[in-house]
Amino acid sequence: WHDSPFQLREDGVEGCQTAYLGSKDSERRVRVYNLHGFTRLEYQLRGEWAEKMGMLLLGSQYNSWVSVAMSHLLDFVRFTGLGWWDKFSDGHRMAEIRVYSARAVSLERIEAWITRQVVPALFAFQAVKGLQETWEHVSSVIYHNPGRLDKYQAVMQLAGS
């Protein structure tokens, strides 16, 4: 949230506010601001998300572009119990499309996450349960829910190269 109480908006009124959902480095980000006097919402897409949206829009009738874009926005962010959001989203449904990119889920990021969070937790778990039971637990989780690996398919393809 950025508040600039003395900045003039285009309508001459003092005070500009901007809210961001998502990192400036993310492949998806929402920016809401009032610089132009009215409140504007921008949905910024990069990389594979932008490519997917472009293909979907260009493959759709022009008069359905708002609906297509809104369904993707709802995949990224939703609010409940807010009248203004209900009016804005106006009954649109989520697209329920996922993009898993090898760039987004990189081997380096996985390694950093494992080092920072997983290794200490596994060490504590195996200290109590033992190494054999720890490995059996990990194997069982993957065996009974292989869908948990879906987002890592692009990285796992590196094993074949």
Side-chain angles (χ1 to χ4, degrees):
W1 175 263
H2 296 279
D3 190 12
S4 303
F6 304 110
Q7 182 179 352
L8 279 180
R9 299 188 318 213
E10 289 181 357
D11 61 1
V13 175
E14 279 188 346
C16 290
Q17 292 84 31
T18 306
Y20 296 96
L21 297 169
S23 163
K24 64 181 176 182
D25 298 324
S26 296
E27 289 198 354
R28 296 187 296 171
R29 184 182 195 195
V30 170
R31 178 185 307 109
V32 181
Y33 62 97
N34 66 353
L35 175 66
H36 303 295
F38 52 89
T39 302
R40 176 179 282 185
L41 182 140
E42 294 178 357
Y43 184 34
Q44 177 183 344
L45 301 173
R46 293 184 180 153
E48 292 184 37
W49 284 101
E51 182 179 329
K52 184 71 162 176
M53 177 64 85
M55 290 189 315
L56 287 168
L57 288 174
L58 293 175
S60 304
Q61 295 293 322
Y62 177 74
N63 61 0
S64 69
W65 282 14
V66 170
S67 182
V68 171
M70 192 60 160
S71 67
H72 285 272
L73 175 64
L74 292 174
D75 276 351
F76 183 66
V77 63
R78 290 173 311 285
F79 299 99
T80 56
L82 297 174
W84 61 267
W85 181 260
D86 295 337
K87 185 177 179 180
F88 176 70
S89 59
D90 192 25
H92 292 281
R93 296 178 180 258
M94 294 171 51
E96 297 184 18
I97 291 178
R98 303 289 179 253
V99 172
Y100 299 113
S101 166
R103 291 181 300 245
V105 186
S106 69
L107 200 53
E108 293 81 20
R109 288 178 65 183
I110 293 171
E111 184 177 12
W113 172 70
I114 289 171
T115 302
R116 188 177 59 255
Q117 294 184 354
V118 176
V119 168
L122 277 175
F123 185 82
F125 188 88
Q126 73 82 30
V128 175
K129 297 285 191 170
L131 192 56
Q132 182 65 30
E133 190 172 336
T134 299
W135 180 247
E136 287 171 3
H137 176 72
V138 170
S139 299
S140 175
V141 168
I142 297 303
Y143 178 80
H144 292 295
N145 192 357
R148 300 283 310 257
L149 294 175
D150 288 350
K151 82 184 237 184
Y152 299 104
Q153 290 300 320
V155 172
M156 291 176 5
Q157 289 174 359
L158 295 172
S161 52

